[in-house]
């Protein structure tokens, strides 16, 4: 079927010089609230579980915890490409504004649950998934709207500000959740409503579509196989980190293996389908553009390092460092968010600056340098003792944020500049899919590596520590068999599990000083410090490797380039062209 192009759009110049800043501010607000809500629950989960009267360590409840965190991420990863394509077909602004409205509605729905226990948590999981639909619409079309509104000489700065706001939002969510959840856990969902209502109204009044729409049939087979395949893989990862039978993880679970193999098979079928239809959802020919293919590879690897790091550092702070320095377990979620602010500061310093510089000098040196700095920061984290001096930890946080911020803006600008105007929606959606998928993958990879590290020494360490303080050997042995993932979740929630595991009867029979020590601030954090450090080394070694490969991919993106659409030339859709005056040995300058 032949596609048609509708030219019912405005030129940026006809809207005045201020329009590009209206587009930037509105889309950045949308991305900011979407990413804040991707992480705001991490800190707020203890108060949410208490409010719903859910025991996080009870059998089966870890699945609820995982889906509250990952349901939103899975939905945004699966849908952004389809929504980017719909933006190309029916208008990016229309899709973006619909995202604001949907996000607002389900943010309100999340706050009005009247149920407790399992029904209450299931309500939150379903509403989070539906909220993720709005978030996916916002994420899928924001970069394309900015790219349409800004000339190529300013896109690095504009996309950099948008990208840094999005990444910083994932860390601001930690602090916002920590501040609001102790007051009332429902405020965690209501806090974004005034901003999303404003964004909905402002977007409908001010934003305009600037690129021609291409109307053709929807790639239903591609959408179905991609969605089911990606969901299958991500569900397998979610349940793969949970224990199965006598195994510490679920990778031997037949259902997990079936989900993983079936998901991969569907994704393989998706790739075949996309090469054989006229109007595919996933334009595989875009990977012929060097900047697009290498840029997305680098972004995926950077996301693998960044996403898992956030969880590991929260566990490190909440479960070990803060309790050992006198903070109550109830207060550790808030202080963990506050103590991680140097990372956000690093993003805010480097992101806009690198975007502006990449407009002048090209993306390659800044994206590559950012990944090398991030790799060094992971090396610094691995070298720290578990009970570190905070200034050393803060310095590593800042340089990690600085490196990631130095990378993010040039990388995004290089990828979007390489796309033709009528592929920016689907291309931006493809890029966002890689980013969101990397977040879920990183959680699975980092948790798996941490569990492997913990499993080697945690049981013996826990049994020895408990029996040394009077706990009967039989009960100590049973508690030492606690799955490592439960220890990680307890630390993530700022929760001391010893009291609930031993029970009031056992504690009442112990000497007073032993009972107080076992349930106090220092026993559990001190107990898991050694095994935790073993897991840290394995996880950070993976992060270093990912950043080094991302640095190499960033270098191979090529030098400064921009698609010829921005020079008002007619060129094939598959290639990005060098800027005027640059040599042209291939699609992009090498």
């Amino acid at each position: 079927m032949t596609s048609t192009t509708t030219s019912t759009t405005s030129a940026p110049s006809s809207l005045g010089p201020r329009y590009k800043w209206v587009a930037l501010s509105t889309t950045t607000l949308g991305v900011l609230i979407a990413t804040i809500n991707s992480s705001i629950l991490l800190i707020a989960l203890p108060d949410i579980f208490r409010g719903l009267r859910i025991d996080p360590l009870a059998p089966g409840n870890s699945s609820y915890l995982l889906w509250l965190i990952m349901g939103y991420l899975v939905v945004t990863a699966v849908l952004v490409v389809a929504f980017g394509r719909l933006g190309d077909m029916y208008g990016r602004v229309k899709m973006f504004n619909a995202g604001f409205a949907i996000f607002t509605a389900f943010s309100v729905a999340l706050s009005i649950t009247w149920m407790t226990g399992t029904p209450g948590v299931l309500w939150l999981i379903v509403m989070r998934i539906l909220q993720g639909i709005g978030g996916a619409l916002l994420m899928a079309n924001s970069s394309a709207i900015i790219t349409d509104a800004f000339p190529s000489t300013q896109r690095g700065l504009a996309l950099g500000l948008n990208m840094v706001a999005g990444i910083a939002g994932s860390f601001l969510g930690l602090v916002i959740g920590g501040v609001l959840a102790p007051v009332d856990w429902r405020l965690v969902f209501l806090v974004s409503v005034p901003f999303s209502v404003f964004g909905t109204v402002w977007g409908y009044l001010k934003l305009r579509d600037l690129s021609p729409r291409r109307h053709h049939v929807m790639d239903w087979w591609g959408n179905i196989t991609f969605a089911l395949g990606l969901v299958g893989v991500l569900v397998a990862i979610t349940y793969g980190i949970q224990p199965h039978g006598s195994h510490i993880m679920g990778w031997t679970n037949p259902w997990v293996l079936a989900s993983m193999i079936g998901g991969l098979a569907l994704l393989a079928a998706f790739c075949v389908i996309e090469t054989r239809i006229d109007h595919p959802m996933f334009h595989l020919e875009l990977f012929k553009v060097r900047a697009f293919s290498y840029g997305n590879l680098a972004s995926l690897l950077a996301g693998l390092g960044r996403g898992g790091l956030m969880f590991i550092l929260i566990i490190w702070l909440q479960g070990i460092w803060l309790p050992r320095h006198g903070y109550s377990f109830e207060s550790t979620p808030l202080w963990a968010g506050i103590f991680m602010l140097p990372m956000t500061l690093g993003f805010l310093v480097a992101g806009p600056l690198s975007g502006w510089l990449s407009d002048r000098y090209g993306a390659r040196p800044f994206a590559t340098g950012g990944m090398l700095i991030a790799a060094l920061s992971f090396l610094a984290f691995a070298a720290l003792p578990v009970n570190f001096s905070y200034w050393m930890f803060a310095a590593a946080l800042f340089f990690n944020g600085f490196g990631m911020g130095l990378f993010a803006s040039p990388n995004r600008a290089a990828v979007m500049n390489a796309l033709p105007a009528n592929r920016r929606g689907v291309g931006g959606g493809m890029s966002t899919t890689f980013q969101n998928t990397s977040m879920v993958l990183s959680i699975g990879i980092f948790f798996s590596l941490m569990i492997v590290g913990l499993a080697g020494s945690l049981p013996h360490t826990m049994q020895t520590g408990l029996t040394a303080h009077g706990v009967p050997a039989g009960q100590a042995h049973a508690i030492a068999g606690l799955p490592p993932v439960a220890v990680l979740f307890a630390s993530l929630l700022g929760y001391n599990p010893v009291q609930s595991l031993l029970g009031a009867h056992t504690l009442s029979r112990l000497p007073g000083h032993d009972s107080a020590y076992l349930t106090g601030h220092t026993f559990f954090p001190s107990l898991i410090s050694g095994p935790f450090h073993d897991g840290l080394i394995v996880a950070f070694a993976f992060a270093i490797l990912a950043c080094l490969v991302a640095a190499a991919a960033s270098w191979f993106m090529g030098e400064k380039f921009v698609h010829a659409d921005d020079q008002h030339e007619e060129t094939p859709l598959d290639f990005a062209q060098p800027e005027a005056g640059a040599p042209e040995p291939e699609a992009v300058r090498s």
Side-chain angles (χ1 to χ4, degrees):
M1 183 177 291
T2 304
S3 64
T4 60
T5 303
T6 304
S7 300
T8 59
T9 58
S10 305
S13 57
S14 67
L15 297 173
R18 296 182 180 178
Y19 175 76
K20 59 188 178 184
W21 303 112
V22 172
L24 175 61
S25 59
T26 308
T27 54
T28 298
L29 176 63
V31 170
L32 184 64
I33 65 169
T35 54
I36 284 175
N37 277 269
S38 71
S39 64
I40 198 168
L41 291 194
L42 292 180
I43 294 292
L45 279 173
D47 293 287
I48 293 174
F49 271 60
R50 281 193 292 269
L52 295 175
R53 300 171 190 170
I54 293 285
D55 178 3
L57 295 184
N61 284 355
S62 59
S63 297
Y64 298 146
L65 185 149
L66 281 172
W67 278 109
L68 271 176
I69 296 172
M70 299 176 71
Y72 181 93
L73 299 173
V74 169
V75 170
T76 53
V78 167
L79 293 179
V80 285
V81 173
F83 289 163
R85 178 61 175 274
L86 288 174
D88 288 339
M89 293 170 61
Y90 300 109
R92 294 157 188 168
V93 168
K94 183 181 294 184
M95 295 296 107
F96 181 83
N97 290 337
F100 254 135
I102 293 170
F103 192 93
T104 304
F106 289 106
S107 295
V108 174
L110 278 161
S111 68
I112 61 174
T113 178
W114 62 95
M115 297 171 284
T116 58
T118 299
V121 76
L122 290 175
W123 170 271
L124 292 186
I125 290 171
V126 172
M127 293 302 105
R128 278 284 285 177
I129 290 172
L130 295 174
Q131 186 191 43
I133 295 174
L137 282 163
L138 294 171
M139 295 178 187
N141 293 283
S142 62
S143 292
I145 292 171
I146 292 171
T147 306
D148 289 341
F150 279 82
S152 61
T153 55
Q154 294 181 321
R155 280 189 200 138
L157 175 62
L159 289 167
L161 290 170
N162 185 264
M163 174 67 75
V164 169
I167 297 174
S170 64
F171 293 100
L172 289 173
L174 302 177
V175 180
I176 295 170
V179 171
L180 295 179
V183 179
D184 190 326
W185 63 267
R186 289 177 171 81
L187 294 177
V188 169
F189 303 114
L190 286 174
V191 65
S192 60
V193 171
F195 301 99
S196 54
V197 168
F198 171 80
T200 302
V201 175
W202 188 252
Y204 274 108
L205 293 176
K206 295 295 184 180
L207 292 181
R208 298 291 182 270
D209 274 306
L210 301 179
S211 289
R213 302 176 189 175
R214 299 181 68 84
H215 295 294
H216 41 64
V217 293
M218 192 69 174
D219 173 18
W220 291 112
W221 282 113
N223 275 277
I224 291 170
T225 53
F226 177 77
L228 292 179
L230 191 55
V231 166
V233 171
L234 298 181
V235 167
I237 291 170
T238 301
Y239 286 98
I241 64 176
Q242 299 184 62
H244 171 65
S246 60
H247 300 278
I248 60 172
M249 287 189 286
W251 296 113
T252 57
N253 185 335
W255 290 107
V256 171
L257 292 175
S259 181
M260 176 64 74
I261 295 170
L264 292 174
L266 285 170
L267 290 177
F270 164 76
C271 291
V272 174
I273 290 170
E274 297 305 275
T275 62
R276 298 187 178 184
I277 61 175
D278 293 332
H279 306 294
M281 176 188 90
F282 219 95
H283 283 265
L284 299 180
E285 78 274 7
L286 292 178
F287 289 105
K288 296 177 182 178
V289 181
R290 184 196 301 186
F292 186 81
S293 56
Y294 281 109
N296 278 308
L297 174 61
S299 179
L300 175 67
L301 291 167
L304 287 177
R306 183 179 64 247
L309 173 70
M310 186 164 59
F311 285 86
I312 298 304
L313 294 184
I314 292 172
I315 292 171
W316 196 350
L317 287 170
Q318 288 187 184
I320 298 176
W321 193 85
L322 286 168
R324 292 184 66 171
H325 286 78
Y327 293 84
S328 67
F329 279 95
E330 293 75 18
S331 67
T332 55
L334 170 61
W335 287 105
I338 293 173
F339 283 169
M340 287 179 65
L341 281 175
M343 183 178 287
T344 304
L345 180 62
F347 272 113
L348 297 177
V349 170
L353 177 63
S354 65
W356 178 75
L357 290 172
S358 69
D359 285 334
R360 296 172 59 88
Y361 303 109
R364 180 159 68 176
F366 303 102
T368 304
M371 282 295 92
L372 292 175
I373 292 172
L376 289 174
S377 72
F378 281 115
L379 185 62
F381 280 126
L384 287 175
V386 175
N387 194 21
F388 50 78
S389 296
Y390 178 71
W391 72 266
M392 299 172 64
F393 184 77
L397 281 175
F398 177 84
F399 282 107
N400 185 272
F402 188 89
M404 291 291 182
L406 194 65
F407 163 83
S409 303
N411 172 269
R412 189 66 166 180
V415 167
M416 295 304 294
N417 274 339
L419 295 174
N422 65 341
R423 292 289 185 264
R424 286 173 189 157
V426 67
M430 291 163 69
S431 296
T432 305
T433 294
F434 286 117
Q435 292 174 18
N436 292 350
T437 301
S438 71
M439 184 71 172
V440 182
L441 290 174
S442 70
I443 295 170
I445 291 171
F446 272 69
F447 267 68
S448 296
L449 294 173
M450 288 295 299
I451 290 168
V452 170
L454 282 169
S457 55
L458 180 63
H460 174 73
T461 302
M462 185 172 286
Q463 182 169 356
T464 302
L466 290 171
T467 54
H469 291 277
V471 177
Q475 190 172 7
H477 178 74
I479 294 173
L482 185 71
V485 69
V487 175
L488 288 177
F489 286 158
S491 301
L492 178 64
L493 294 172
Y495 178 71
N496 181 0
V498 174
Q499 184 168 357
S500 61
L501 291 172
L502 289 177
H505 177 69
T506 299
L507 289 171
S508 67
R509 300 178 63 184
L510 297 177
H513 65 278
D514 283 329
S515 177
Y517 179 70
L518 289 173
T519 58
H521 295 311
T522 58
F523 172 73
F524 184 66
S526 300
L527 184 73
I528 66 173
S529 290
F532 182 79
H533 188 263
D534 295 339
L536 279 181
I537 297 301
V538 177
F540 285 143
F542 170 81
I544 292 169
L545 178 62
C547 288
L548 291 177
V549 177
S554 297
W555 184 260
F556 285 117
M557 283 195 304
E559 294 187 11
K560 191 178 180 183
F561 44 79
V562 59
H563 194 274
D565 284 353
D566 297 300
Q567 301 171 2
H568 308 292
E569 300 173 7
E570 292 294 330
T571 58
L573 295 180
D574 297 347
F575 299 100
Q577 303 296 329
E579 290 189 350
E584 191 178 351
E586 51 187 0
V588 293
R589 183 179 173 188
S590 60

